[in-house]
């Protein structure tokens, strides 16, 4: 994910600034850094990539320093991006308050991945039950991966449902994906039974809520009704 910082350097004094040193502290997770400037010339000091001596600035003049870089789209937690600078001079300055700077902090918010429903009911005749996994916002730069797996509750794998597990992928720029679980339609008369689905090990996202779903299988079988039948009493026959 590209990120750009713009540093405005201004001379608010009544005399030209000279031999001004600027030291920048950039986030450690910012890679592929590129520094450009406008209205001011930068000279790198001691081969340090973020320590510069600027060209002189006339009173009231302003220069821009732009730092661009890449934040990895594979982050799995929110990260603070602190950009701080200090301004000094190679010449002695009796008044240190002449030089001031303000730090800037940004926060890289990673997407949250979650199951759409925390509770689901499924008739035993459903065949395949479809579940949705979604992000709260897209990751435009990388696919999001997350592991998923079923586990037994009162329902038993293979007898009541077909167990599944694996890794789901949501393409870059997309919000959701789905997967299916086969429900077993048996001929047994039984009460409602439950099993669970859990998400884990996200990549390029963090876990949101809910990360688990409880699925209740509603039985469709009915116990047979036994209707008793009466046996007629024998009718006596007269003889003579």
């Amino acid at each position: 994910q590209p990120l750009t910082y713009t540093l405005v350097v201004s001379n608010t004094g009544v005399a030209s600034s000279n031999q001004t040193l600027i030291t920048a502290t950039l986030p450690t997770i910012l890679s592929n850094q590129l520094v450009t400037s406008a209205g001011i010339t930068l000279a790198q000091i001691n081969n340090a990539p973020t320590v510069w001596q600027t060209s002189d600035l006339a009173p009231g003049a302003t220069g821009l320093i732009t730092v661009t870089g890449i934040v990895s789209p594979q982050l799995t937690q929110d990260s603070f991006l602190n950009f701080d600078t200090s301004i000094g001079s190679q010449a002695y300055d009796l008044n240190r308050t002449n030089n001031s700077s303000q730090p800037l902090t940004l926060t890289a918010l990673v997407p949250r991945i979650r199951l759409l429903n925390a509770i689901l009911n499924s008739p035993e005749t459903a065949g395949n039950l479809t579940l949705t996994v979604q992000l709260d916002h897209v990751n435009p730069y990388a696919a999001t991966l997350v592991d998923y797996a079923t586990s037994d509750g009162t329902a038993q794998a293979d007898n009541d449902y077909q167990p599944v597990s694996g890794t789901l992928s949501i393409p870059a720029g997309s919000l959701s994906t789905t997967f299916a679980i086969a429900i077993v339609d048996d001929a047994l008369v039984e009460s409602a039974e439950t099993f669970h689905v859990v998400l884990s090990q996200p990549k390029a996202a963090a876990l949101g809520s809910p990360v688990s779903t409880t699925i209740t299988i509603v039985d469709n079988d009915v116990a047979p009704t036994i209707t008793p039948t009466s046996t007629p009493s024998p009718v006596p026959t007269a003889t003579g």
Side-chain angles (χ1 to χ4, degrees):
Q1 176 175 346
L3 183 66
T4 299
Y5 293 103
T6 301
L7 177 64
V8 180
V9 182
S10 301
N11 182 1
T12 59
V14 296
S16 294
S17 66
N18 57 76
Q19 295 184 325
T20 301
L21 287 178
I22 296 179
T23 302
T25 303
L26 298 174
T28 57
I29 62 174
L30 189 68
S31 61
N32 293 52
Q33 296 171 11
L34 176 66
V35 179
T36 58
S37 63
I40 194 171
T41 302
L42 303 180
Q44 209 173 81
I45 300 298
N46 297 329
N47 294 321
T50 57
V51 180
W52 312 292
Q53 179 174 319
T54 70
S55 56
D56 295 347
L57 273 180
T62 297
L64 298 179
I65 301 173
T66 302
V67 181
T68 60
I70 300 294
V71 177
S72 171
Q74 303 295 337
L75 293 177
T76 57
Q77 62 181 6
D78 295 343
S79 300
F80 293 110
L81 305 173
N82 298 314
F83 179 37
D84 197 4
T85 58
S86 62
I87 299 177
S89 176
Q90 295 200 78
Y92 184 70
D93 191 342
L94 290 174
N95 188 356
R96 302 304 297 171
T97 61
N98 284 341
N99 306 314
S100 63
S101 62
Q102 295 180 344
L104 174 65
T105 299
L106 302 177
T107 304
L109 297 177
V110 301
R112 264 49 177 182
I113 192 166
R114 62 188 287 270
L115 285 153
L116 179 61
N117 303 102
I119 298 174
L120 283 175
N121 291 331
S122 173
E124 195 176 54
T125 55
N128 287 330
L129 176 65
T130 300
L131 281 77
T132 300
V133 174
Q134 64 180 17
L135 296 168
D136 64 346
H137 64 273
V138 299
N139 185 334
Y141 303 102
T144 301
L145 306 178
V146 68
D147 292 345
Y148 69 102
T150 54
S151 62
D152 287 354
T154 54
Q156 295 182 338
D158 297 318
N159 294 329
D160 300 304
Y161 70 96
Q162 293 298 325
V164 294
S165 63
T167 300
L168 296 170
S169 176
I170 300 178
S174 297
L175 272 175
S176 64
T177 189
T178 61
F179 65 98
I181 302 172
I183 305 299
V184 176
D185 185 7
D186 57 31
L188 300 176
V189 178
E190 50 196 352
S191 59
E193 297 175 309
T194 61
F195 68 99
H196 312 285
V197 177
V198 178
L199 301 181
S200 62
Q201 301 298 320
K203 294 178 177 62
L207 291 176
S209 180
V211 295
S212 65
T213 294
T214 297
I215 300 164
T216 300
I217 302 173
V218 181
D219 189 47
N220 67 321
D221 299 300
V222 179
T225 301
I226 300 175
T227 304
T229 56
S230 59
T231 301
S233 301
V235 177
T237 303
T239 58

